């Protein structure tokens, strides 16, 4: 059995215990034993990162480029192996696992380039003989806390910009998926990154994550995860005036209008509701359909769902892998039962068995739902979507925006008028026209509004808002 340690101050350090990384497609497959850090490990990592600040905050753009580009190249070269590890530990299919790995590589390479382009501005002062320069400096030590559903892409989109802009990092991945996180740390450990600049501490959020969030030595926290945890982190960071960036849940609507291309609408809905087992913060979970196309749309979605192969994530031909663990599966089944109790018409959604023992669930479509039902208010985070029937576009738009979340929203229509109106009036951070609500580019900003997000955007050039702080310098000529 392989044992994987934490990486603190350039050393591999054992935890207080080890936790098994279990494959949700086959619970007899233990991927490895991963160190469990505690508060003391988190504090050691923070101290190492703090003392490394002078070595990295004043590094050259070339040094930063070289490290990030090397990481991107190695991830790309090992995409099949790392993608397989990802699929084994998280449960998304092999093509999805490899695709996510390639995305992570591209993110490192994108931010390698950005490290060369950290610019500033200079303006004449309103006072004679004075010049004003605005420059971007690193924030200092950043604490990165990630969820289980994108085991390599989310760590990449936090670690790469953090390092590109000269910050030192303490990183805690979700306990359910330490494998990809450890792999990134191992690759970074072989680059020219000075010791202490990057630290990995695996272990429970309540101990490791909580120490990062509350330490006065951590200047900023970038968190992705549930709204409940995010809200606690926002309160804790605000109380000590730490910079914060929180990406949380979604209850993403997809509108289908009478004039939609039915194939486009059905493919987008099935893709974004069920692929990756629906475990995407951008998944379409509320499908809002105008009455003229409602029955044809529901029939076509059910036809497509019936053909999906739900099985072990690494088997060829699998469309949908298992749910990530037993607790998540129980939660999904609870939401399906509640949808039925509250009057929804449920097709699918049952737990099923496969040749290997895992947490398999059939995709569920709940029709005849109303906006007030639990299934349309709370995030499920599984292969469960609901359909709401509406009269026209105006009602659909109001329904789409009637949610405490605001991450992603989509519309399927052939009308330029409605597409344009929706792009302007949707209260979501990301809007998709004739595309799934899930599936975004790596070089543009990512994030939401309302309960889904708090703080500056992630990814693309916009990442610098969080990972840098602006200095304004005045000089008398
Ligand atoms: P959680 O909020 O349970 O966990 C997220 C991370 O926070 C984990 O690493 C967890 O550690 C850690 N954590 C837990 N408690 C604390 C604490 N008190 N202090 C600091 N850190 C803590 O979310 P999940 O992992 O269950 O992820 C699913 C959620 O993530 C969904 O709601 C989904 O919508 C959201 N998500 C949002 C995205 C977005 O960009 N908007 C993208 C992807 C997911 P551990 O679990 O190891 O104990």
């Amino acid at each position: 059995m392989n044992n994987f340690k934490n990486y603190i101050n350039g050393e591999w350090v054992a935890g207080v215990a080890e936790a098994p990384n279990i494959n949700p497609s086959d619970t007899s497959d233990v991927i490895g034993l991963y160190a469990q850090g505690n508060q003391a490990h988190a504090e050691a990592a923070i101290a190492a990162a703090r003392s490394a600040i002078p070595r990295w905050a004043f590094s050259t753009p070339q040094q930063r480029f070289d490290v990030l580009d090397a990481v991107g190249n190695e991830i790309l070269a090992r995409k099949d192996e790392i993608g397989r590890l990802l699929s084994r530990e998280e449960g998304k299919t092999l093509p999805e696992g490899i695709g996510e790995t390639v995305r992570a590589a591209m993110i490192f390479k994108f931010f390698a380039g950005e490290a060369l382009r950290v610019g500033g501005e200079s303006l004449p002062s309103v006072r004679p003989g004075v010049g004003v320069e605005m420059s971007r400096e690193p924030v200092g030590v950043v604490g990165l806390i990630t969820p289980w559903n994108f085991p390599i892409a989310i760590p990449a989109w936090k670690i790469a910009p953090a390092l590109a802009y000269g910050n030192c990092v303490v990183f805690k991945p979700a306990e359910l998926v330490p494998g990809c996180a450890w792999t990134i740390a191992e690759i970074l450990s072989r680059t020219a990154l000075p010791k202490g600049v990057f630290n990995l501490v695996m272990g429970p959020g309540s101990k490791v994550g909580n120490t990062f969030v509350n330490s006065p030595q951590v200047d900023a926290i970038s968190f992705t995860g549930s709204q409940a945890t995010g809200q606690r982190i926002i309160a804790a960071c605000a109380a000590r005036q730490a910079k914060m960036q929180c990406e949380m849940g979604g209850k993403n609507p997809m509108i289908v209008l009478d004039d939609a291309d039915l194939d486009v609408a059905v493919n987008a809905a099935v893709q974004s509701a069920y692929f990756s087992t629906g475990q995407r913060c951008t998944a379409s979970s509320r499908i809002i359909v105008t009455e003229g196309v409602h029955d044809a749309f529901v029939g076509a979605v059910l036809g497509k769902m019936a053909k999906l192969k739900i099985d072990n994530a690494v088997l060829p031909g699998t469309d949908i892998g298992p749910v990530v663990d037993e607790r998540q599966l129980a939660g999904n089944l609870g939401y399906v039962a509640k949808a039925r109790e509250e009057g929804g018409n449920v097709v699918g959604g049952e737990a099923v068995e496969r040749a290997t023992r895992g947490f398999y669930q059939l995709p569920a479509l709940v029709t005849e739902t109303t906006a007030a039902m639990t299934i349309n208010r709370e995030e499920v985070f599984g292969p469960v979507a609901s359909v709401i029937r509406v009269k026209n576009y105006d009602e659909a738009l109001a329904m789409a925006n009637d949610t405490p979340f605001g991450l992603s929203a989509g519309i399927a229509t052939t009308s330029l008028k409605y597409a344009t109106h929706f792009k302007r009036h949707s209260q979501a951070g990301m809007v998709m026209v004739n595309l799934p609500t899930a599936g975004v580019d790596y070089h543009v900003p990512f994030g939401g509004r309302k309960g889904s997000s708090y703080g500056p955007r992630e990814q693309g050039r916009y990442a610098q808002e969080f990972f840098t702080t602006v200095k304004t310098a005045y000089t008398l000529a």
Side-chain angles (χ1 to χ4, degrees):
M1 178 59 64
N2 289 323
N3 302 69
F4 299 90
K5 294 180 175 170
N6 285 322
Y7 187 64
I8 301 172
N9 204 21
E11 309 284 338
W12 293 104
V13 180
V16 284
E18 288 180 318
N21 184 359
I22 293 169
N23 180 347
S25 297
D26 175 1
T27 53
S28 68
D29 176 24
V30 179
I31 295 158
L33 295 174
Y34 288 78
Q36 292 273 288
N38 63 6
Q39 186 177 339
H41 293 100
E43 283 168 355
I46 294 166
R50 202 87 232 148
S51 63
I53 288 177
R55 295 195 285 279
W56 195 244
F58 299 99
S59 58
T60 63
Q62 189 66 51
Q63 282 174 282
R64 298 180 196 175
F65 173 92
D66 288 345
V67 166
L68 296 171
D69 196 50
V71 175
N73 287 339
E74 180 165 341
I75 292 175
L76 209 49
R78 293 171 55 192
K79 66 180 170 47
D80 293 338
E81 168 217 336
I82 299 173
R84 195 176 182 85
L85 165 68
L86 197 165
S87 294
R88 274 173 75 207
E89 72 175 349
E90 199 267 352
K92 63 185 68 173
T93 64
L94 203 48
E96 289 172 331
I98 294 169
E100 186 186 329
T101 305
V102 170
R103 178 192 177 87
M106 291 305 167
I107 289 168
F108 273 98
K109 291 172 79 65
F110 174 84
F111 281 107
E114 286 304 288
L116 301 173
R117 289 188 282 266
V118 184
E121 268 186 279
S122 98
L123 286 177
S125 166
V126 292
R127 287 170 283 166
V130 174
V132 192
E133 293 158 66
M134 285 137 285
S135 56
R136 292 197 173 267
E137 296 186 354
V139 176
V141 173
V142 295
L144 311 180
I145 302 173
T146 56
W148 49 260
N149 64 329
F150 283 92
I152 196 161
I154 296 181
W157 82 53
K158 294 185 192 296
I159 295 167
L163 297 176
Y165 296 115
N167 301 285
C168 295
V169 170
V170 291
F171 166 44
K172 191 213 97 67
E175 275 200 282
L176 283 175
V177 293
C180 289
W182 186 91
T183 303
I184 296 182
E186 198 280 327
I187 295 171
L188 277 165
S189 76
R190 288 183 281 104
T191 64
L193 205 61
K195 73 171 190 165
V197 173
F198 173 84
N199 304 273
L200 167 77
V201 189
M202 300 173 286
S206 56
K207 295 199 173 109
V208 177
N210 194 46
T211 306
F212 292 174
V213 168
N214 289 297
S215 169
Q217 302 298 315
V218 176
D219 302 287
I221 294 285
S222 178
F223 164 85
T224 301
S226 64
Q227 199 186 21
T229 309
Q231 282 175 343
R232 281 202 298 278
I233 290 177
I234 291 165
C237 287
R240 66 178 187 84
Q241 291 183 246
K243 204 170 178 181
M244 73 189 102
Q245 171 181 66
C246 292
E247 286 299 339
M248 299 165 283
K251 194 73 209 169
N252 309 296
M254 181 178 155
I255 295 176
V256 179
L257 296 184
D258 285 357
D259 67 16
D261 177 318
L262 197 60
D263 282 348
V264 167
V266 169
N267 284 335
V270 170
Q271 220 283 354
S272 47
Y274 303 125
F275 282 35
S276 298
T277 322
Q279 298 174 149
R280 294 187 285 192
C281 49
T282 48
S284 295
S285 51
R286 291 183 298 138
I287 309 174
I288 301 161
V289 189
T290 46
E291 53 196 6
V293 73
H294 177 277
D295 294 354
F297 174 81
V298 168
V301 168
L302 291 175
K304 229 178 158 58
M305 280 166 67
K307 293 197 188 109
L308 294 173
K309 189 173 167 215
I310 289 83
D311 209 330
N312 190 315
V314 300
L315 287 180
T318 295
D319 295 305
I320 297 177
V323 173
V324 74
D325 73 353
E326 198 163 12
R327 201 176 62 141
Q328 188 70 34
L329 176 59
N332 296 352
L333 295 173
Y335 274 113
V336 170
K338 189 142 200 178
R340 198 172 271 124
E341 270 164 46
E342 292 182 2
N345 179 17
V346 182
V347 178
E350 303 88 355
V352 286
E353 290 183 4
R354 292 294 180 258
T356 49
R357 201 160 159 225
F359 310 112
Y360 298 103
Q361 181 181 16
L362 298 181
L365 190 70
V366 190
T367 59
E368 310 305 335
T369 71
T370 62
M373 287 181 185
T374 309
I375 198 71
N376 286 323
R377 308 305 312 171
E378 297 179 14
E379 183 184 51
V380 178
F381 218 57
V384 182
S386 60
V387 176
I388 308 171
R389 188 198 300 253
V390 290
K391 285 196 171 53
N392 53 32
Y393 169 75
D394 290 336
E395 200 189 333
L397 174 66
M399 196 68 82
N401 287 335
D402 177 16
T403 169
F405 295 103
L407 189 57
S408 184
I411 188 166
T413 179
T414 51
S415 154
L416 182 61
K417 178 180 130 189
Y418 289 132
T420 307
H421 191 274
F422 187 65
K423 281 191 274 185
R424 178 65 190 87
H425 293 271
S426 163
Q427 293 165 2
M430 296 177 290
V431 182
M432 314 290 177
V433 177
N434 293 323
L435 286 166
T437 55
V440 294
D441 285 5
Y442 65 83
H443 67 307
V444 292
F446 177 97
R449 298 184 184 175
K450 300 199 267 187
S452 291
S453 300
Y454 196 78
R457 285 284 184 266
E458 299 199 78
Q459 300 193 67
R461 301 205 70 184
Y462 286 65
Q464 66 179 351
E465 294 304 326
F466 177 75
F467 288 104
T468 65
T469 179
V470 173
K471 181 176 277 173
T472 313
Y474 296 82
T475 311
L476 179 62

